[in-house]
Amino acid sequence: MQGTIKDLYRYPVKSMGGEQLTEVTLAEGGIPGDRAWGVRDEKLGGIRGAKRFPALMRCKARYLSPPPANGSATALVSFPDGSELPINDAAMAGKLSELLEAQVTVWPLMPADMLDHYRRGAPVLSDMEAEMRRVFARGEDEPLPDMSGMPPELFEFESPPGTYFDAAPLLLMTTQSLTHLSTQASDHNFDVRRFRPNVLIDTNSDAAFPERDWIGKTLRIGDARLEVIMACLRCAMTTHGFDDLPRDVGIMRTLVGEAGGDLGVYARIVEPATIHTGDTIEIL
């Protein structure tokens, strides 16, 4: 099977909207500048995203100059009211706290050995099944996701220490998956913005979810090599409203019914290189 890169995306701040690119030079840690900033919950602890603070998705962030291969560079954040602030501005924590109606602070990436910085905060709900259903937007009659394939450190930390990724450096999705879901539930808008991939791919496959067949395989994109490691377990973020997209819990109902709640796959970079929109992808 072959495919081509349709779109590339980078998200400077975890859970905020990001920027569309035409080329990126991959580093071992992923796309430089991707999820390089995070918001810390000062009440419950932990670096949190839109699972805790849905209004983060109403903000967008972009870089004014290319970020370095590693670490965090200043990004410009746009708020729903049209105002903009650099992410490291002294007023940022207060403005975000007002928007989120919670006390938060803003952090660049910290060294991986600062484990307390990455440790999970307290749950929102004390009942753990109820908390899992809240996080993954699962109804009472729907199964909770199978977490057994998740990296073990994620049961202790909000993200792999040294990163603000949910699980791995790159999230890949296909246009075929979005088309299939749209066909099965045409009254819901399966806009790619809800799912926040780094790489959106067109393939020549007839499968409903072609990327599922890539798990455990290597993708070649020019000189780059990616190892696909696991499916992406989808959460409540897919149902939130932002920009022109309304809140829609039917998105998750469809994902559970059609795809077991998963959509897209995570990958790590085996051989870094520059990739572009339009590049051919081969499954090795």
Side-chain angles (χ1 to χ4, degrees):
M1 190 219 79
Q2 287 191 336
T4 58
I5 296 177
K6 183 178 186 297
D7 293 313
L8 293 165
Y9 300 94
R10 174 173 61 197
Y11 308 91
V13 184
K14 183 178 178 68
S15 287
M16 290 187 185
E19 48 193 352
Q20 191 168 342
L21 308 171
T22 57
E23 71 171 47
V24 295
T25 299
L26 297 174
E28 288 187 4
I31 295 176
D34 189 47
R35 278 90 168 183
W37 295 85
V39 173
R40 181 175 180 82
D41 183 342
E42 291 298 329
K43 178 182 179 182
L44 297 178
I47 297 293
R48 305 292 184 109
K51 301 180 189 67
R52 169 78 169 110
F53 300 120
L56 281 172
M57 297 181 75
R58 298 170 57 205
C59 299
K60 297 179 182 178
R62 68 187 192 279
Y63 292 108
L64 300 181
S65 58
N70 299 295
S72 304
T74 300
L76 189 66
V77 174
S78 301
F79 285 85
D81 64 5
S83 63
E84 295 186 320
L85 275 179
I87 186 67
N88 55 353
D89 191 285
M92 176 60 69
K95 191 166 179 64
L96 272 178
S97 295
E98 181 180 0
L99 174 68
L100 304 180
E101 299 181 341
Q103 189 65 36
V104 299
T105 50
V106 179
W107 291 80
L109 289 169
M110 305 302 287
D113 60 1
M114 291 184 61
L115 295 181
D116 284 344
H117 175 74
Y118 295 98
R119 206 172 302 279
R120 285 196 173 275
V124 174
L125 303 176
S126 57
D127 181 281
M128 286 312 298
E129 179 175 341
E131 174 71 350
M132 289 285 285
R133 293 193 180 280
R134 182 194 71 81
V135 169
F136 290 99
R138 301 301 172 92
E140 291 297 327
D141 59 341
E142 293 174 334
L144 290 170
D146 179 4
M147 307 287 288
S148 61
M150 297 292 288
E153 65 265 28
L154 295 182
F155 294 95
E156 182 177 357
F157 303 105
E158 296 282 353
S159 58
T163 79
Y164 293 144
F165 302 124
D166 281 347
L170 288 180
L171 176 58
L172 316 179
M173 281 179 51
T174 64
T175 57
Q176 281 74 13
S177 292
L178 295 175
T179 298
H180 174 76
L181 291 166
S182 297
T183 300
Q184 298 304 306
S186 59
D187 51 338
H188 301 287
N189 186 355
F190 289 87
D191 191 295
V192 67
R193 290 173 293 169
R194 290 192 182 275
F195 307 104
R196 302 168 58 79
N198 294 114
V199 187
L200 183 64
I201 299 166
D202 274 329
T203 78
N204 59 4
S205 171
D206 294 328
F209 302 104
E211 58 269 49
R212 291 187 172 186
D213 294 333
W214 306 346
I215 296 172
K217 298 179 181 178
T218 298
L219 310 186
R220 178 169 60 197
I221 311 173
D223 292 329
R225 301 290 186 277
L226 313 179
E227 180 187 0
V228 181
I229 55 177
M230 61 180 291
C232 177
L233 281 62
R234 290 300 179 167
C235 69
M237 285 181 62
T238 62
T239 69
H240 296 327
F242 60 96
D243 293 344
D244 59 334
L245 297 174
R247 173 170 166 74
D248 186 355
V249 296
I251 295 291
M252 184 55 75
R253 302 289 74 74
T254 306
L255 282 175
V256 171
E258 294 292 328
D262 301 340
L263 185 62
V265 291
Y266 285 118
R268 68 180 186 90
I269 293 87
V270 178
E271 296 181 24
T274 300
I275 62 175
H276 315 76
T277 56
D279 281 355
T280 298
I281 297 175
E282 296 179 85
I283 313 301
L284 303 182

